[in-house]
Amino acid sequence: MSIIVYSKPACVQCTATTRALEARGLPYELIDLTEDDKAFAHVSELGYRQLPVVVAGKDHWAGFRPDLIGRLA
């Protein structure tokens, strides 16, 4: 399963999310929404207004969610 984390610089919840993924040994792709207009449009289409947005397979959520990250491990 691929995991994509949509983020922006200096985002505390984004950093917490990537650290939690790394702590569990889960590989992920990090996409900076300030540098990728197409990705920004995709996240907006999903209905999110908060970062990070995590897309893991068919599941997706916004914010730092250690409970959902734990289910991926």
Side-chain angles (χ1 to χ4, degrees), residues 47-59:
Y48 293 111
R49 303 280 183 250
Q50 172 186 337
L51 293 177
V53 171
V54 178
V55 177
K58 295 180 182 180
D59 297 324

Side-chain angles (χ1 to χ4, degrees), residues 6 31-33 36-44:
Y6 295 95
I31 297 178
D32 184 345
L33 292 183
D36 190 331
D37 292 337
K38 189 173 182 179
F40 182 84
H42 175 65
V43 168
S44 294

Side-chain angles (χ1 to χ4, degrees), residues 53-68:
V53 171
V54 178
V55 177
K58 295 180 182 180
D59 297 324
H60 47 84
W61 66 84
F64 176 51
R65 296 289 308 269
D67 58 324
L68 297 177

Side-chain angles (χ1 to χ4, degrees), residues 10-57:
C11 169
V12 174
Q13 289 192 38
C14 302
T15 301
T17 297
T18 57
R19 285 184 180 165
L21 290 167
E22 290 168 3
R24 289 168 178 75
L26 296 168
Y28 62 91
E29 177 183 359
L30 184 65
I31 297 178
D32 184 345
L33 292 183
T34 65
E35 297 179 1
D36 190 331
D37 292 337
K38 189 173 182 179
F40 182 84
H42 175 65
V43 168
S44 294
E45 288 170 6
L46 290 174
Y48 293 111
R49 303 280 183 250
Q50 172 186 337
L51 293 177
V53 171
V54 178
V55 177

